Amino acid sequence: MAINNISSGANANFLDQINRKQDTIFEQLSSGKKVNKAADAAAAQQIIERLSSESNAYQQSVRNAYDGISLSQVADGALQGINDDAQRIRELTQQAGSGILTDADRQAIQSEISGLQQNIQSTIENTEFNGQSLFTQDNEFSFQVGSGAGQSRSVNTSDLASQLSGLQNIDVTSGNIDTALESIDSAIEFVGSERGSLGATANAFESAINNLNTTNENVQAARSRLQDTDYAQATADQAANDILSQSSNIVAAQARQQQESVLSLLS
Protein backbone atom coordinates (compact mmCIF):
# COMPACT_ATOMS: atom_id res chain seq x y z
CA MET A 1 0.00 0.00 0.00
CA ALA A 2 1.13 3.53 -0.76
CA ILE A 3 0.54 4.56 2.80
CA ASN A 4 3.27 2.11 3.88
CA ASN A 5 5.84 4.02 1.83
CA ILE A 6 5.52 7.38 3.51
CA SER A 7 8.31 8.52 5.79
CA SER A 8 7.89 8.65 9.53
CA GLY A 9 7.94 12.45 9.35
CA ALA A 10 5.23 12.54 6.74
CA ASN A 11 3.25 10.00 8.73
CA ALA A 12 3.50 12.18 11.84
CA ASN A 13 2.21 15.15 9.84
CA PHE A 14 -0.62 13.01 8.50
CA LEU A 15 -1.50 11.93 12.04
CA ASP A 16 -1.54 15.57 13.15
CA GLN A 17 -4.00 16.44 10.37
CA ILE A 18 -6.21 13.53 11.37
CA ASN A 19 -6.19 14.63 15.02
CA ARG A 20 -7.07 18.23 14.11
CA LYS A 21 -9.94 16.99 12.00
CA GLN A 22 -11.04 14.75 14.84
CA ASP A 23 -11.03 17.74 17.20
CA THR A 24 -13.18 19.68 14.73
CA ILE A 25 -15.67 16.82 14.44
CA PHE A 26 -15.86 16.47 18.24
CA GLU A 27 -16.52 20.22 18.51
CA GLN A 28 -19.27 20.02 15.90
CA LEU A 29 -20.92 17.07 17.64
CA SER A 30 -20.71 18.59 21.12
CA SER A 31 -21.85 22.11 20.15
CA GLY A 32 -24.39 21.07 17.54
CA LYS A 33 -22.83 23.59 15.16
CA LYS A 34 -20.65 22.88 12.17
CA VAL A 35 -19.48 26.52 12.10
CA ASN A 36 -18.17 27.47 15.55
CA LYS A 37 -15.69 30.16 14.51
CA ALA A 38 -14.79 32.17 11.46
CA ALA A 39 -11.88 29.82 10.66
CA ASP A 40 -14.38 27.01 10.07
CA ALA A 41 -16.04 28.94 7.21
CA ALA A 42 -15.43 32.67 7.03
CA ALA A 43 -18.09 33.47 4.43
CA ALA A 44 -20.69 31.27 6.12
CA GLN A 45 -19.95 32.86 9.50
CA GLN A 46 -20.75 36.32 8.14
CA ILE A 47 -24.04 35.10 6.71
CA ILE A 48 -24.89 33.31 9.97
CA GLU A 49 -24.28 36.47 11.99
CA ARG A 50 -26.45 38.52 9.63
CA LEU A 51 -29.26 35.96 9.79
CA SER A 52 -28.98 35.85 13.59
CA SER A 53 -29.33 39.63 13.72
CA GLU A 54 -32.40 39.49 11.49
CA SER A 55 -33.95 36.72 13.57
CA ASN A 56 -33.42 38.70 16.79
CA ALA A 57 -35.02 41.74 15.15
CA TYR A 58 -38.05 39.74 14.04
CA GLN A 59 -38.52 38.27 17.52
CA GLN A 60 -38.34 41.72 19.12
CA SER A 61 -40.73 43.05 16.49
CA VAL A 62 -43.26 40.39 17.46
CA ARG A 63 -43.00 41.52 21.09
CA ASN A 64 -43.46 45.13 19.96
CA ALA A 65 -46.55 44.18 17.96
CA TYR A 66 -48.05 42.46 21.00
CA ASP A 67 -47.45 45.69 22.94
CA GLY A 68 -49.36 47.52 20.22
CA ILE A 69 -52.25 45.06 20.52
CA SER A 70 -52.29 45.43 24.30
CA LEU A 71 -52.42 49.23 24.05
CA SER A 72 -55.24 48.98 21.49
CA GLN A 73 -57.20 46.67 23.77
CA VAL A 74 -56.80 48.97 26.77
CA ALA A 75 -57.97 51.95 24.72
CA ASP A 76 -60.88 50.00 23.26
CA GLY A 77 -61.97 48.79 26.69
CA ALA A 78 -62.08 52.38 27.95
CA LEU A 79 -64.04 53.51 24.89
CA GLN A 80 -66.51 50.68 25.36
CA GLY A 81 -67.20 51.96 28.87
CA ILE A 82 -67.65 55.50 27.54
CA ASN A 83 -70.00 54.21 24.84
CA ASP A 84 -72.12 52.38 27.44
CA ASP A 85 -72.35 55.55 29.53
CA ALA A 86 -73.24 57.62 26.46
CA GLN A 87 -75.96 55.18 25.49
CA ARG A 88 -77.44 55.45 28.98
CA ILE A 89 -77.27 59.26 28.81
CA ARG A 90 -79.16 59.11 25.52
CA GLU A 91 -81.82 56.90 27.05
CA LEU A 92 -82.22 59.26 30.00
CA THR A 93 -82.31 62.30 27.71
CA GLN A 94 -85.13 60.74 25.73
CA GLN A 95 -86.92 59.98 28.99
CA ALA A 96 -86.56 63.62 30.00
CA GLY A 97 -88.40 64.55 26.80
CA SER A 98 -91.66 63.18 28.18
CA GLY A 99 -94.19 65.95 28.73
CA ILE A 100 -95.62 64.40 31.87
CA LEU A 101 -92.45 64.87 33.89
CA THR A 102 -92.12 67.55 36.53
CA ASP A 103 -89.06 69.71 37.10
CA ALA A 104 -88.19 67.48 40.04
CA ASP A 105 -88.36 64.43 37.79
CA ARG A 106 -86.00 66.03 35.27
CA GLN A 107 -83.66 67.04 38.06
CA ALA A 108 -83.52 63.42 39.22
CA ILE A 109 -82.75 62.32 35.67
CA GLN A 110 -80.05 64.99 35.41
CA SER A 111 -78.46 63.72 38.62
CA GLU A 112 -77.94 60.32 37.02
CA ILE A 113 -76.70 61.93 33.81
CA SER A 114 -74.21 64.00 35.79
CA GLY A 115 -72.91 60.87 37.49
CA LEU A 116 -72.41 59.24 34.07
CA GLN A 117 -70.65 62.37 32.79
CA GLN A 118 -68.29 62.26 35.77
CA ASN A 119 -67.60 58.60 35.06
CA ILE A 120 -66.73 59.45 31.44
CA GLN A 121 -64.42 62.24 32.60
CA SER A 122 -62.72 59.90 35.05
CA THR A 123 -62.19 57.35 32.25
CA ILE A 124 -60.66 60.03 30.04
CA GLU A 125 -58.29 61.24 32.75
CA ASN A 126 -57.26 57.87 34.18
CA THR A 127 -56.90 55.57 31.17
CA GLU A 128 -53.17 54.90 30.86
CA PHE A 129 -50.81 52.39 29.31
CA ASN A 130 -47.38 51.95 30.86
CA GLY A 131 -47.83 55.26 32.68
CA GLN A 132 -48.80 57.21 29.56
CA SER A 133 -52.22 58.84 29.33
CA LEU A 134 -54.18 57.73 26.27
CA PHE A 135 -57.03 60.23 25.99
CA THR A 136 -55.94 63.56 27.50
CA GLN A 137 -54.42 64.63 24.18
CA ASP A 138 -53.99 63.43 20.61
CA ASN A 139 -51.35 60.67 20.64
CA GLU A 140 -49.46 58.53 18.18
CA PHE A 141 -47.75 55.47 19.66
CA SER A 142 -45.33 53.99 17.13
CA PHE A 143 -44.13 50.37 17.22
CA GLN A 144 -41.22 48.95 15.21
CA VAL A 145 -42.51 45.77 13.56
CA GLY A 146 -39.73 44.89 11.13
CA SER A 147 -35.97 44.47 10.95
CA GLY A 148 -35.36 47.64 8.94
CA ALA A 149 -35.97 51.37 9.11
CA GLY A 150 -39.45 52.59 8.31
CA GLN A 151 -41.14 49.31 9.22
CA SER A 152 -43.48 50.53 11.94
CA ARG A 153 -47.16 50.68 12.82
CA SER A 154 -48.93 53.20 15.01
CA VAL A 155 -51.81 53.29 17.46
CA ASN A 156 -53.58 56.65 17.43
CA THR A 157 -55.74 57.96 20.27
CA SER A 158 -57.62 61.25 20.54
CA ASP A 159 -58.15 64.07 23.00
CA LEU A 160 -61.57 62.88 24.16
CA ALA A 161 -62.28 65.81 26.45
CA SER A 162 -62.50 68.15 23.47
CA GLN A 163 -64.20 65.61 21.20
CA LEU A 164 -66.92 64.77 23.73
CA SER A 165 -67.52 68.25 25.11
CA GLY A 166 -71.09 68.27 23.74
CA LEU A 167 -71.89 65.03 25.55
CA GLN A 168 -70.38 66.33 28.77
CA ASN A 169 -72.51 69.48 28.66
CA ILE A 170 -75.87 67.71 28.40
CA ASP A 171 -78.38 69.20 30.87
CA VAL A 172 -81.97 68.05 30.53
CA THR A 173 -83.26 70.56 33.09
CA SER A 174 -82.72 73.30 30.54
CA GLY A 175 -82.15 73.53 26.81
CA ASN A 176 -83.57 71.73 23.83
CA ILE A 177 -83.87 67.93 23.98
CA ASP A 178 -83.38 67.57 20.21
CA THR A 179 -80.12 69.51 20.39
CA ALA A 180 -79.01 67.34 23.29
CA LEU A 181 -79.80 64.17 21.35
CA GLU A 182 -77.82 65.44 18.35
CA SER A 183 -74.79 66.06 20.59
CA ILE A 184 -75.10 62.59 22.13
CA ASP A 185 -75.44 60.91 18.73
CA SER A 186 -72.39 62.77 17.46
CA ALA A 187 -70.40 61.63 20.49
CA ILE A 188 -71.55 58.01 20.12
CA GLU A 189 -70.63 58.06 16.43
CA PHE A 190 -67.17 59.45 17.22
CA VAL A 191 -66.54 56.81 19.89
CA GLY A 192 -67.67 54.07 17.49
CA SER A 193 -65.31 55.39 14.82
CA GLU A 194 -62.41 55.40 17.29
CA ARG A 195 -63.17 51.83 18.33
CA GLY A 196 -63.33 50.75 14.70
CA SER A 197 -59.93 52.32 14.05
CA LEU A 198 -58.44 50.59 17.10
CA GLY A 199 -59.90 47.27 16.00
CA ALA A 200 -58.40 47.65 12.53
CA THR A 201 -55.05 48.56 14.06
CA ALA A 202 -55.12 45.50 16.33
CA ASN A 203 -55.91 43.30 13.32
CA ALA A 204 -53.01 44.88 11.43
CA PHE A 205 -50.69 44.01 14.31
CA GLU A 206 -52.01 40.42 14.31
CA SER A 207 -51.29 40.16 10.60
CA ALA A 208 -47.82 41.62 11.12
CA ILE A 209 -47.14 39.06 13.87
CA ASN A 210 -48.11 36.19 11.59
CA ASN A 211 -45.86 37.51 8.81
CA LEU A 212 -42.99 38.14 11.22
CA ASN A 213 -43.23 34.65 12.69
CA THR A 214 -43.28 33.06 9.23
CA THR A 215 -40.33 35.15 8.06
CA ASN A 216 -38.41 34.40 11.24
CA GLU A 217 -38.97 30.66 10.81
CA ASN A 218 -37.54 30.87 7.29
CA VAL A 219 -34.56 32.91 8.48
CA GLN A 220 -33.85 30.45 11.28
CA ALA A 221 -34.15 27.54 8.86
CA ALA A 222 -31.64 29.19 6.51
CA ARG A 223 -29.28 29.83 9.41
CA SER A 224 -29.68 26.25 10.60
CA ARG A 225 -28.70 24.88 7.20
CA LEU A 226 -25.48 26.88 7.35
CA GLN A 227 -24.68 26.51 11.04
CA ASP A 228 -26.08 23.32 12.50
CA THR A 229 -24.23 20.05 12.52
CA ASP A 230 -25.39 17.31 10.20
CA TYR A 231 -25.06 14.54 12.77
CA ALA A 232 -25.28 11.74 10.22
CA GLN A 233 -22.48 13.27 8.15
CA ALA A 234 -20.38 14.17 11.18
CA THR A 235 -20.72 10.65 12.59
CA ALA A 236 -19.71 9.17 9.23
CA ASP A 237 -16.73 11.54 9.06
CA GLN A 238 -15.74 10.54 12.57
CA ALA A 239 -15.84 6.84 11.67
CA ALA A 240 -13.79 7.45 8.54
CA ASN A 241 -11.31 9.53 10.51
CA ASP A 242 -10.99 6.78 13.13
CA ILE A 243 -10.11 4.29 10.40
CA LEU A 244 -7.49 6.64 8.98
CA SER A 245 -6.05 7.18 12.44
CA GLN A 246 -5.85 3.47 13.13
CA SER A 247 -4.25 2.82 9.71
CA SER A 248 -1.71 5.55 10.25
CA ASN A 249 -0.81 4.21 13.68
CA ILE A 250 -0.34 0.73 12.20
CA VAL A 251 1.92 2.14 9.48
CA ALA A 252 3.91 4.05 12.09
CA ALA A 253 4.31 0.90 14.16
CA GLN A 254 5.45 -1.06 11.09
CA ALA A 255 7.94 1.67 10.21
CA ARG A 256 9.41 1.56 13.70
CA GLN A 257 9.75 -2.22 13.49
CA GLN A 258 11.52 -1.94 10.13
CA GLN A 259 13.89 0.69 11.53
CA GLU A 260 14.63 -1.50 14.51
CA SER A 261 15.31 -4.45 12.19
CA VAL A 262 17.73 -2.42 10.06
CA LEU A 263 19.54 -1.14 13.13
CA SER A 264 19.73 -4.70 14.45
CA LEU A 265 21.34 -5.89 11.22
CA LEU A 266 23.77 -2.99 11.14
CA SER A 267 24.82 -3.60 14.69
Side-chain angles (χ1 to χ4, degrees):
M1 294 178 61
I3 197 170
N4 291 322
N5 296 325
I6 61 176
S7 66
S8 60
N11 189 64
N13 183 58
F14 185 57
L15 268 173
D16 184 58
Q17 293 178 13
I18 292 173
N19 290 333
R20 286 200 301 270
K21 185 175 181 181
Q22 194 79 320
D23 289 341
T24 299
I25 293 172
F26 283 145
E27 185 178 27
Q28 290 175 349
L29 290 170
S30 61
S31 68
K33 300 176 181 180
K34 64 183 176 184
V35 180
N36 290 282
K37 51 187 178 296
D40 294 335
Q45 182 64 30
Q46 290 182 356
I47 297 173
I48 290 168
E49 289 176 356
R50 183 169 66 251
L51 292 175
S52 295
S53 177
E54 289 183 8
S55 178
N56 291 337
Y58 290 134
Q59 292 176 53
Q60 182 59 57
S61 293
V62 168
R63 291 191 287 271
N64 291 348
Y66 276 119
D67 287 341
I69 291 175
S70 297
L71 190 152
S72 299
Q73 291 173 337
V74 169
D76 181 62
L79 289 174
Q80 181 178 355
I82 291 174
N83 180 72
D84 292 343
D85 289 340
Q87 294 286 0
R88 178 56 180 164
I89 290 173
R90 192 182 198 286
E91 181 182 348
L92 292 168
T93 301
Q94 286 183 309
Q95 182 182 351
S98 174
I100 66 170
L101 298 180
T102 65
D103 289 344
D105 292 333
R106 289 188 175 87
Q107 186 59 56
I109 291 173
Q110 182 60 41
S111 293
E112 184 176 348
I113 289 175
S114 296
L116 293 166
Q117 290 169 331
Q118 291 174 6
N119 190 44
I120 291 172
Q121 186 61 33
S122 177
T123 299
I124 293 172
E125 292 175 354
N126 297 317
T127 301
E128 297 181 344
F129 187 84
N130 194 36
Q132 300 184 72
S133 179
L134 299 186
F135 297 123
T136 56
Q137 63 182 11
D138 292 337
N139 296 303
E140 180 180 2
F141 300 94
S142 181
F143 298 86
Q144 183 72 21
V145 290
S147 63
Q151 296 178 319
S152 63
R153 293 186 182 275
S154 297
V155 179
N156 297 308
T157 59
S158 300
D159 179 359
L160 292 186
S162 62
Q163 294 290 343
L164 303 180
S165 59
L167 175 65
Q168 295 296 73
N169 292 327
I170 297 297
D171 187 346
V172 297
T173 61
S174 63
N176 185 281
I177 295 298
D178 288 341
T179 301
L181 289 173
E182 289 176 359
S183 295
I184 297 169
D185 288 342
S186 177
I188 291 174
E189 182 179 356
F190 175 78
V191 170
S193 176
E194 289 291 287
R195 293 189 68 191
S197 177
L198 288 169
T201 300
N203 288 337
F205 277 121
E206 288 282 3
S207 178
I209 288 170
N210 291 335
N211 290 333
L212 287 165
N213 282 331
T214 298
T215 303
N216 187 43
E217 287 176 5
N218 292 332
V219 167
Q220 290 186 349
R223 181 182 62 184
S224 178
R225 286 192 292 271
L226 289 172
Q227 178 176 261
D228 293 349
T229 298
D230 182 338
Y231 279 92
Q233 183 62 52
T235 302
D237 289 344
Q238 184 181 34
N241 213 54
D242 286 341
I243 293 172
L244 287 174
S245 179
Q246 293 170 5
S247 299
S248 183
N249 285 327
I250 291 172
V251 169
Q254 290 176 343
R256 286 194 299 271
Q257 289 177 353
Q258 290 175 354
Q259 290 173 355
E260 290 172 358
S261 298
V262 169
L263 290 173
S264 176
L265 291 172
L266 291 176
S267 63

